[in-house]
Amino acid sequence: MNKIVILGAGYGGITAALRLARLLKKKKDYEIHLIDKNPFHTFKTQLHEAAVRNVEVSVPINQIIRKTSIIFHQQEIKQILTKEHIVKLQDFDITYNYLVLALGSITNFYGIPGLQAHSLTLQSLDDAKIIYENISGLIDEAMTSINENNKKDLLRFVIGGGGLTGVEFAGELVDYLSRDNRLVQGLKEVIVIEAGNRLLPNLDEKMSEEATKRLINKGIKIITNTKITNRTADTITLSNGEIIKSYCLVWTGGIKISELIGASDLKIGQLGRVLVNEYLQALDHPEIFALGDNALAINPTTGKPVPAAAQFALQQGRLVGENIFAEIKGKEKKTYKPKVFGEIISLGRHLAVGWFAVPFIKKLKFIGFIGSLFKSAVEDKHILLLRKESRNWTSWKG
Ligand SMILES: Cc1cc2nc3c(=O)[nH]c(=O)nc-3n(C[C@H](O)[C@H](O)[C@H](O)COP(=O)(O)OP(=O)(O)OC[C@H]3O[C@@H](n4cnc5c(N)ncnc54)[C@H](O)[C@@H]3O)c2cc1C
């Protein structure tokens, strides 16, 4: 039996699997194997909400694929042997005719002393649960402490990195501490430390400035042009010499791609992302496709790498499904042209900043409550598309 093996059931991987399952419905000589270490698909763009408010941001993979021919294996991927066409999993090996790399990204600590050992990360549902427990524990401890200074130290939360993840988490956290936890008001401190000269470098300067103002109004302290140079269990040393006391540092300052991919013989570029051609095939390996955070896809219009973002992982997942089908059928493959629909960044529970691509105006910018409605609409659209692709309208999530 021919096998298409898809590594990772995140945004890109699950989309590729579902698209292939539909296209290959009548072709019974191909099996689709989807592999993930978790039994659930995570709505990663909502992880900050899970980390602060413990909300549900995942859905069981078996529920999504229930009405398809996809074979799911809950397995940790250990090694990719490209010459032998084998992937080594925790319990068995699997061979492939086509392989899809959709493993997402991991946190980059840049070798900063103490950072990996003493900071929390926000890349997975497990990470979100650990942050939630950590925050809850510190609040409980602060409430029972009789020393005012100790209370303040316990309630000082620091976020390293002022990009999308750091900002979304900071906004969510400050809202939670201010609104849902009136007992900690006046004592809590949320600090964002950013090495660059402004937050949200992907947005234009004006929007980033406006978003920063809103975050400051919410009570977040923002320190830019400053790096974290050392971390111990309770201190954070900054490049300006300042030392901040904090028991909770959430590090969102950088991503890289899993060493699994680096250890294979695939050609990699920036951040360890796989170099791909215009069809998203790995260079020198037409049987391997890479997508989402794993792929260093180039936008043919700008000549620049496509950013690591959910909207591109979803588009690439669909295209990879179609291109593998085209290969099997001996048909022409489609070239990858990213569609940029816009960007929305949440600044707390009822506030978001962003823009939509609109004909003629080009960028329709917004900030405020309306932005948070747009953000929920985009998230709902993902769930709707999953349901549509899987032909499964039963009531998972929402
Ligand atoms: C907090 C947060 C907020 C974000 N917000 C936004 C946003 O608002 N908009 C946006 O566009 N992007 C956002 N992003 C980025 C976006 O989530 C990623 O770009 C996107 O998830 C990439 O999709 P992917 O399919 O490449 O990988 P992922 O969705 O990360 O999926 C990777 C999958 O691979 C599995 N996996 C990894 N390693 C192994 C292994 N060794 N064995 C088995 N399974 C493995 C994982 O369990 C996971 O299911 C955010 C990211 C974070 C962390």
Side-chain angles (χ1 to χ4, degrees):
M1 181 64 88
N2 297 301
K3 283 190 190 128
I4 302 165
V5 175
I6 299 171
L7 306 184
Y11 288 104
I14 198 122
T15 307
L18 291 170
R19 183 52 59 106
L20 268 166
R22 280 177 66 182
L23 293 168
L24 289 170
K25 217 168 179 180
K26 292 196 184 117
K27 244 187 140 343
K28 304 286 178 211
D29 49 344
Y30 273 87
E31 283 178 353
I32 303 161
H33 292 259
L34 178 64
I35 297 160
D36 203 291
K37 59 187 168 195
N38 295 311
F40 45 78
H41 167 72
T42 305
F43 304 114
K44 213 169 163 181
T45 62
Q46 289 169 264
L47 273 182
H48 54 285
E49 295 174 38
V52 174
R53 287 187 283 127
N54 201 20
V55 295
E56 187 58 72
V57 294
S58 70
V59 58
I61 291 166
N62 279 330
Q63 274 193 43
I64 303 177
I65 63 169
R66 205 161 54 92
K67 295 190 176 165
T68 73
S69 57
I70 298 165
I71 303 159
F72 174 62
H73 308 278
Q74 188 193 340
Q75 288 283 314
E76 171 101 34
I77 297 145
K78 296 289 186 190
Q79 203 183 358
I80 302 165
L81 301 172
T82 53
K83 283 195 188 85
E84 295 84 353
H85 289 204
I86 290 174
V87 179
K88 288 191 164 290
L89 307 175
Q90 76 194 52
D91 294 329
F92 59 94
D93 296 353
I94 188 162
T95 56
Y96 62 84
N97 300 81
Y98 292 101
L99 181 69
V100 179
L101 303 172
L103 292 170
S105 39
I106 56 173
T107 303
N108 196 341
F109 297 96
Y110 302 107
I112 299 168
L115 196 58
Q116 186 159 3
H118 300 294
S119 68
L120 305 174
T121 56
L122 189 51
Q123 279 292 340
S124 67
L125 198 55
D126 282 347
D127 289 348
K129 284 184 178 151
I130 292 170
I131 294 177
Y132 177 76
E133 275 157 24
N134 193 280
I135 294 171
S136 308
L138 288 170
I139 293 173
D140 288 349
E141 208 180 325
M143 288 308 98
T144 51
S145 167
I146 45 163
N147 178 323
E148 203 69 0
N149 283 337
N150 186 41
K151 270 184 199 269
K152 283 188 177 171
D153 288 342
L154 289 163
L155 294 172
R156 188 172 301 113
F157 300 95
V158 180
I159 294 114
L164 182 145
T165 307
V167 162
E168 290 201 321
F169 175 70
E172 192 72 38
L173 178 62
V174 84
D175 275 2
Y176 173 73
L177 296 173
S178 316
R179 292 177 194 185
D180 301 350
N181 267 285
R182 294 190 186 274
L183 289 173
V184 307
Q185 274 187 26
L187 297 167
K188 57 126 187 16
E189 213 179 335
V190 177
I191 306 171
V192 177
I193 296 162
E194 165 58 39
N197 63 356
R198 63 183 175 96
L199 300 186
L200 301 170
N202 282 354
L203 290 184
D204 67 36
E205 244 171 84
K206 232 176 146 209
M207 290 177 83
S208 143
E209 214 173 276
E210 189 56 41
T212 305
K213 264 192 221 155
R214 301 284 183 122
L215 292 172
I216 291 170
N217 285 346
K218 277 177 183 265
I220 298 175
K221 182 175 173 189
I222 291 162
I223 303 173
T224 51
N225 291 310
T226 306
K227 288 183 179 162
I228 291 174
T229 55
N230 194 288
R231 168 71 170 151
T232 66
D234 60 355
T235 63
I236 300 161
T237 307
L238 305 184
S239 51
N240 60 11
E242 193 184 338
I243 296 177
I244 298 173
K245 184 150 192 188
S246 172
Y247 298 99
C248 181
L249 167 63
V250 177
W251 174 249
T252 66
I255 56 164
K256 63 178 182 178
I257 306 310
S258 157
E259 273 89 32
L260 257 178
I261 290 178
S264 69
D265 74 337
L266 294 170
K267 293 202 168 96
I268 54 173
Q270 232 178 35
L271 307 174
R273 296 174 94 186
V274 178
L275 299 180
V276 290
N277 65 15
E278 67 272 36
Y279 307 113
L280 300 179
Q281 288 164 301
L283 299 189
D284 302 333
H285 283 278
E287 75 289 4
I288 299 179
F289 289 74
L291 57 80
D293 291 4
N294 281 180
L296 193 70
I298 301 296
N299 182 337
T301 314
T302 61
K304 289 187 181 156
V306 175
Q311 62 174 313
F312 301 119
L314 292 166
Q315 291 170 23
Q316 292 172 9
R318 281 190 283 276
L319 185 80
V320 162
E322 283 162 18
N323 278 348
I324 291 178
F325 183 67
E327 281 262 330
I328 291 170
K329 296 289 261 181
K331 290 193 174 154
E332 212 172 305
K333 296 187 289 296
K334 289 184 195 159
T335 56
Y336 174 58
K337 288 188 200 82
K339 290 188 193 91
V340 186
F341 296 117
E343 256 173 294
I344 313 174
I345 295 128
S346 135
L347 305 175
R349 213 170 305 168
H350 303 297
L351 184 64
V353 61
W355 60 274
F356 279 135
V358 175
F360 308 115
I361 313 173
K362 285 198 174 162
K363 271 190 179 183
L364 176 67
K365 299 178 188 177
F366 50 82
I367 186 161
F369 175 63
I370 186 92
S372 62
L373 295 181
F374 289 151
K375 175 110 181 155
S376 326
V378 169
E379 282 153 3
D380 289 348
K381 190 178 160 216
H382 170 56
I383 296 165
L384 215 67
L385 282 177
L386 275 184
R387 286 185 172 158
K388 184 172 163 242
E389 285 281 328
S390 61
R391 297 278 188 267
N392 181 355
W393 297 94
T394 48
S395 64
W396 42 270
K397 174 97 185 172

